[in-house]
């Protein structure tokens, strides 16, 4: 590997890497604003300028490729003076509102100001001010805080493939906006807030709900479709506040779609059934676990059973169901379900040119690999259904007229179609393995403790198997 010298240290780099990435590989952070590894390089903010031997002027590290033998200084007097000047220039028009800004604690401007700026201001001029503006359902804009790095503009045109963010006017009056102030249209709008290095673009769903330093970050995988984008769940006190992308250059790079980002809300819906229950004509009646399992077994006793498993289950859960079927309902047929119109991986395909896929569950491929076929319609001889789902799989249509028992995550209105419901865990409450559309094996991780009386699937199946009732086997 070629080598260069950064701050007196010999640093190996991959040909084609810029100085920011080469330095990062050696643990040296060069401050920056406009550079983002997933976007084109524009070298606009000048914050990353460094001294390079034999070059008369400072050079921007984001737009300079590392070269064999290059000698770079990121902390020389000239470099530090430039950083201070850039910070002073950027802050000349920035409000002093970090204490009330939602980006506080994860703001590049705040961090760089603290590390590389000056503690004193020489300006006496009034800051320019704008009102906060809605940019559609996902993003709120505060132009007072914008530093015109153009990351958002480049994200729109280069990644979201929609040129919806533009810079209007010039100089002190430059304003980032959508054309004619229209709402953002992309299905990937949350990423605008992730990449904005200041509090100019924030997510409406999250802003002012929690200070970021209170959040525990759990690395996991999105369950929103068969792509398997990597993300983090941010939770505090057993409540999810947001999901953000986690870099994986092989799958989602740095991005998440909005559907996957906000999917977690069903986990905390007030109408989620968290107690074992049975349905009576008067509605749902909460029961204890032992009697619910007895009722579930009684409901299916003597029936010709089919087992339907959501393709939102993990490999471990699906394998446990297969074993349970062999031991206790060996005559039953078993199928998977999850997305209307998607019966197998052959029906799955990209939904757009960015990330989204047509299968709206994460483990369709995994269930097929376990030999489970897709459910198309109820055969006439089936008289009982055991339906097991995580929470994301869409319940199949046209399954009326047979006895039904449900295990997993159900809302109360969904629960009314079942005789008995045994509440299970969502993707955020369990560990497990899923296979994305291309067969990549990934782990989802538990971020929350099980809510209410909900239990893991293997525990429920074990209780079912071990409970002796007057209804005979299983
Ligand atoms: S809104 Fe944010 S991302 Fe866009 S130019 Fe301003 S600071 Fe940069
Ligand atoms: S593309 Fe699919 S896996 Fe990725 S964030 Fe969206 S829903 Fe989740
Ligand atoms: S990060 Fe290099 S000029 Fe902005």
């Amino acid at each position: 590997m070629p080598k260069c010298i950064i701050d007196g240290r010999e640093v190996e780099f991959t040909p084609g890497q810029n100085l920011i990435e080469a330095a990062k590989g050696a643990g040296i952070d060069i401050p920056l604003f406009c550079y983002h590894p997933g976007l084109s390089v524009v070298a606009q903010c000048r914050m990353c300028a460094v001294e390079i031997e034999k070059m008369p002027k400072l050079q921007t590290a984001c737009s300079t490729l590392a070269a064999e033998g290059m000698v770079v200084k990121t902390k020389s007097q000239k470099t530090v003076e430039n950083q201070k000047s850039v910070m002073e220039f950027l802050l000349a028009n920035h409000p002093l509102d970090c204490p009330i800004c939602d980006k506080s604690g994860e703001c590049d401007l705040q961090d760089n100001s603290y590390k590389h700026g000056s503690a004193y201001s020489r300006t006496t001029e009034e800051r320019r001010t704008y009102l906060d503006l809605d940019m559609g359902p996902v993003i709120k804009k505060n132009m007072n805080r914008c530093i015109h790095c153009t990351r958002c503009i480049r994200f729109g045109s280069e990644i979201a493939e929609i040129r919806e963010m533009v810079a209007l006017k010039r100089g002190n009056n430059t304003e980032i906006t959508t054309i004619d102030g229209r709402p953002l249209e992309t299905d990937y709008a949350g990423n605008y807030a992730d990449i904005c290095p200041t509090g100019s673009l924030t997510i409406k769903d999250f802003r002012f709900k929690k200070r970021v330093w209170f959040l525990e970050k759990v690395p996991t995988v999105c369950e929103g479709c068969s792509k398997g984008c990597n993300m983090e769940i941010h939770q505090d006190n057993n409540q999810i506040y947001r999901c953000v992308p986690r870099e994986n250059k092989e799958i989602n790079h740095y991005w998440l779609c909005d559907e996957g980002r906000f999917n977690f809300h069903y986990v905390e819906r007030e109408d989620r059934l968290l107690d074992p229950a049975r349905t009576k004509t008067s509605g749902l009646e909460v029961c204890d676990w032992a009697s619910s399992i007895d009722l579930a077994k009684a409901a299916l006793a003597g029936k010709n059973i089919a087992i339907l498993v959501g393709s939102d289950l993990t490999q471990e859960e699906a394998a446990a169901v297969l074993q349970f079927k062999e031991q206790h309902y060996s005559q039953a047929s078993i199928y998977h379900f999850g997305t209307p119109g998607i019966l197998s991986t052959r029906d799955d395909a990209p939904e757009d040119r960015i990330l989204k896929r047509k299968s709206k569950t994460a483990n369709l491929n995994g269930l097929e690999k376990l030999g489970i076929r897709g459910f198309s319609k109820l055969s006439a001889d089936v008289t009982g259904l055991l339906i097991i789902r995580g929470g994301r799989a869409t319940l199949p249509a046209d399954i009326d007229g047979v006895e039904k028992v449900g295990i997993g995550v159900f809302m109360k209105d969904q629960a009314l179609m079942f005789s008995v419901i045994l509440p299970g865990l969502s993707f955020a409450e369990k560990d497990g393995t899923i296979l994305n559309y291309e067969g990549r094996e990934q782990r989802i991780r538990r971020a929350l403790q099980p809510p209410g009386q909900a239990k893991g699937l293997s525990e429920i199946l074990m209780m079912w198997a071990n409970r002796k009732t007057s209804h005979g086997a299983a």
Side-chain angles (χ1 to χ4, degrees):
M1 287 246 272
K3 296 186 185 83
C4 61
I5 309 287
I6 303 181
D7 293 344
R9 286 167 55 188
E10 199 173 66
V11 172
E12 285 191 343
F13 62 91
T14 314
Q17 256 182 343
N18 65 18
L19 287 176
I20 288 183
E21 298 296 342
K24 201 196 287 176
I28 300 167
D29 272 336
I30 299 178
L32 57 92
F33 289 112
C34 67
Y35 173 71
H36 186 287
L39 302 174
S40 61
V41 174
V42 286
Q44 259 172 229
C45 71
R46 324 306 287 179
M47 187 65 189
C48 70
V50 290
E51 217 177 324
I52 300 176
E53 226 173 68
K54 298 191 190 131
M55 290 201 180
K57 293 184 180 171
L58 295 181
Q59 300 295 315
T60 46
C62 61
S63 63
T64 307
L65 297 185
E68 177 70 43
M70 193 179 247
V71 179
V72 182
K73 292 178 191 157
T74 75
K75 296 178 181 65
S76 67
Q77 192 188 345
K78 258 167 111 180
T79 313
V80 168
E81 275 169 12
N82 172 69
Q83 289 162 353
K84 279 202 185 320
S85 303
V86 171
M87 282 314 305
E88 184 174 25
F89 182 62
L90 291 177
L91 294 176
N93 237 331
H94 195 85
L96 280 173
D97 67 354
C98 296
I100 57 145
C101 177
D102 210 47
K103 194 79 172 184
S104 195
E106 56 180 5
C107 174
D108 294 346
L109 190 63
Q110 192 181 47
D111 293 347
N112 281 340
S113 170
Y114 180 70
K115 288 188 204 150
H116 307 286
S118 160
Y120 303 96
S121 168
R122 291 186 289 171
T123 58
T124 51
E125 293 78 13
E126 264 192 34
R127 267 70 176 146
R128 58 178 199 172
T129 49
Y130 299 88
L131 291 175
D132 281 8
L133 266 186
D134 263 351
M135 300 190 94
V138 179
I139 296 289
K140 191 112 179 165
K141 179 178 82 159
N142 178 317
M143 247 320 89
N144 303 339
R145 301 173 182 151
C146 176
I147 56 166
H148 311 137
C149 71
T150 72
R151 278 186 181 185
C152 54
I153 297 176
R154 282 174 283 144
F155 174 80
S157 50
E158 294 167 17
I159 307 297
E161 298 188 339
I162 177 165
R163 202 178 278 263
E164 53 185 355
M165 287 280 209
V166 291
L168 285 188
K169 306 182 191 154
R170 288 296 174 263
N172 193 43
N173 298 319
T174 306
E175 184 181 349
I176 305 293
T177 178
T178 50
I179 295 162
D180 297 336
R182 282 190 296 226
L184 294 166
E185 285 175 27
T186 174
D187 294 337
Y188 291 81
N191 299 288
Y192 283 123
D194 296 335
I195 58 168
C196 179
T198 72
S200 306
L201 303 175
T202 49
I203 292 188
K204 286 158 78 173
D205 186 59
F206 173 70
R207 71 201 303 258
F208 303 134
K209 293 214 175 122
K210 190 54 98 177
R211 281 308 201 179
V212 296
W213 49 86
F214 291 123
L215 295 170
E216 187 202 348
K217 300 171 181 179
V218 181
T220 188
V221 178
C222 174
E223 64 152 3
C225 78
S226 56
K227 183 80 175 176
C229 295
N230 289 204
M231 69 179 193
E232 281 177 355
I233 290 177
H234 290 185
Q235 73 87 25
D236 183 48
N237 210 10
N238 220 35
Q239 184 187 338
I240 301 178
Y241 284 89
R242 63 177 179 181
C243 292
V244 300
R246 190 160 58 89
E247 179 186 329
N248 185 326
K249 292 209 178 89
E250 310 282 317
I251 300 178
N252 54 307
H253 299 268
Y254 309 90
W255 323 118
L256 281 186
C257 76
D258 294 338
E259 187 178 349
R261 184 186 296 265
F262 300 120
N263 166 60
F264 71 89
H265 280 300
Y266 81 84
V267 170
E268 291 164 349
R269 267 173 60 171
E270 276 185 7
D271 60 339
R272 176 176 164 191
L273 187 59
L274 295 175
D275 299 299
R278 68 165 157 180
T279 307
K280 299 175 94 177
T281 40
S282 53
L284 289 171
E285 182 186 81
V286 170
C287 312
D288 61 41
W289 267 101
S291 43
S292 304
I293 286 179
D294 291 348
L295 288 166
K297 291 168 84 164
L300 296 182
K303 302 275 188 320
N304 188 18
I305 292 170
I307 300 175
L308 305 187
V309 289
S311 42
D312 53 355
L313 295 189
T314 63
Q315 288 300 80
E316 292 81 356
E317 289 176 318
V321 175
L322 284 172
Q323 193 181 23
F324 171 79
K325 171 187 129 48
E326 282 319 308
Q327 288 172 353
H328 304 287
Y329 293 98
S330 56
Q331 302 305 313
S333 40
I334 183 163
Y335 304 97
H336 66 69
F337 68 95
T339 313
I342 307 281
L343 288 187
S344 83
T345 47
R346 281 192 302 279
D347 304 323
D348 190 16
E351 191 174 285
D352 61 22
R353 294 196 302 178
I354 309 167
L355 298 174
K356 290 164 77 158
R357 294 192 59 85
K358 287 188 171 160
S359 169
K360 293 298 168 194
T361 52
N363 200 27
L364 174 66
N365 196 4
L367 263 58
E368 262 191 21
K369 289 256 176 341
L370 290 173
I372 304 175
R373 287 177 295 126
F375 175 74
S376 54
K377 70 180 183 43
L378 206 56
S379 53
D381 58 339
V382 169
T383 52
L385 282 177
L386 177 59
I387 300 184
I388 306 171
R389 79 194 272 258
R392 176 78 187 165
T394 303
L395 288 168
D398 302 327
I399 50 171
D400 294 338
V402 295
E403 196 77 47
K404 288 183 278 295
V405 168
I407 304 180
V409 178
F410 298 92
M411 301 306 135
K412 286 180 182 157
D413 58 338
Q414 293 171 321
L416 290 171
M417 68 192 275
F418 296 91
S419 312
V420 184
I421 289 280
L422 307 173
L425 305 182
S426 74
F427 81 108
E429 295 147 1
K430 62 191 176 192
D431 291 311
T433 309
I434 52 175
L435 260 63
N436 82 344
Y437 75 102
E438 50 188 356
R440 209 176 278 272
E441 194 175 296
Q442 304 195 93
R443 299 278 295 162
I444 58 166
R445 303 265 175 212
R446 183 159 92 170
L448 304 178
Q449 297 302 316
Q453 294 202 60
K455 290 185 188 295
L457 182 56
S458 40
E459 187 180 352
I460 297 174
L461 296 180
M462 206 179 301
M463 286 167 74
W464 185 304
N466 290 340
R467 196 148 170 85
K468 298 273 177 281
T469 68
S470 53
H471 303 290

